[in-house]
Amino acid sequence: MTAQLSTRGHDMPDGDALAAEAAETAVTGVTFGELRALLGEPAFRGADPQAWSALEQRHGVEFPADYKEFADAYGAVLINNQLTLFHPATAWHNLGENIREEQEFYEDWPEDMMPPYPIGTGPGEMFPWAHSATGEMVYFRVPRDGARDWAVGVIEHDEFGYVEYPVTFNEWMRAYLRGAESVGGEEMLTHSRNFAPDGPFFTMLAQPRS
């Protein structure tokens, strides 16, 4: 079940804001402001730094800053009625629970049907941060050997195909929101072209009442 608030991102920033955004992008790559301009103003009110720090301490990893910024703005959210993103502070669609469940899911699978990398948060391992109504699970692959760059990976569970994108969260999300054919030189397995023909939108996901 989802809450009733849906938002479409049609309002574009003015010329000065665009110029500032372009300058920032030239230095840092794709920014959160660019994603917000595409998707619409966020409405999540459950950001909790303690939830991130507790999960990071438990797993011994610091999650990508651009992913945390986006998740704290939009929360556990459904984008284009297709892509569900997890958040560590929500009861449902919780990031920590999905990492644990994904590890358990693959415990007894045949070797030839296993993901290309172990499920987890150690160097070189991969863990889920979103799933798709079209049958894909979206992962981060943790850098190994001191490398700084994270990768985004997608598994098609119907065919067990895996594609890895050597891009940041923001770069992958911008490609998804734009309905791009590819990003980082790889075909987008999860795309919104048939789900958001009038532009990307999001729906806040319901959570249990406290």
Side-chain angles (χ1 to χ4, degrees):
M1 177 182 293
T2 59
Q4 296 304 308
L5 175 61
S6 270
T7 304
R8 287 187 180 273
H10 293 300
D11 295 332
M12 298 301 292
D14 60 24
D16 290 342
L18 283 172
E21 190 69 38
E24 183 181 2
T25 300
V27 176
T28 63
V30 180
T31 66
F32 170 72
E34 188 171 350
L35 303 182
R36 182 180 58 207
L38 289 166
L39 188 56
E41 286 299 314
F44 184 58
R45 298 292 181 265
D48 180 4
Q50 287 296 105
W52 287 109
S53 59
L55 190 61
E56 288 174 335
Q57 184 174 9
R58 185 188 316 158
H59 287 279
V61 67
E62 185 174 346
F63 300 111
D66 53 354
Y67 165 61
K68 293 198 291 186
E69 182 179 24
F70 185 94
D72 275 346
Y74 291 97
V77 66
L78 177 65
I79 301 178
N80 300 336
N81 286 334
Q82 181 189 25
L83 189 67
T84 298
L85 272 70
F86 313 139
H87 191 281
T90 56
W92 294 341
H93 315 291
N94 178 271
L95 176 61
E97 286 299 305
N98 275 276
I99 292 173
R100 179 186 60 80
E101 290 172 0
E102 191 76 352
Q103 289 174 311
E104 294 176 352
F105 179 78
Y106 281 108
E107 280 181 354
D108 299 319
W109 275 62
E111 187 69 26
D112 61 348
M113 298 176 68
M114 292 290 288
Y117 306 101
I119 302 297
T121 55
E125 296 180 341
M126 53 192 284
F127 64 88
W129 55 266
H131 66 73
S132 169
T134 45
E136 300 87 29
M137 187 69 82
V138 190
Y139 299 84
F140 285 121
R141 189 158 73 86
V142 184
R144 63 164 70 246
D145 300 328
R148 290 187 174 185
D149 295 335
W150 291 63
V152 176
V154 176
I155 285 180
E156 289 183 308
H157 276 171
D158 291 342
E159 300 182 3
F160 300 100
Y162 176 79
V163 174
E164 185 165 292
Y165 305 88
V167 299
T168 65
F169 167 85
N170 279 356
E171 289 172 309
W172 190 92
M173 182 57 67
R174 180 179 66 176
Y176 170 75
L177 294 176
R178 288 178 169 178
E181 295 283 350
S182 63
V183 66
E186 299 290 346
E187 179 186 0
M188 287 289 287
L189 294 185
T190 303
H191 60 77
S192 59
R193 292 187 295 275
N194 297 328
F195 284 81
D198 299 323
F201 62 98
F202 70 90
T203 305
M204 295 181 64
L205 293 169
Q207 294 293 327
R209 296 181 179 180
S210 56

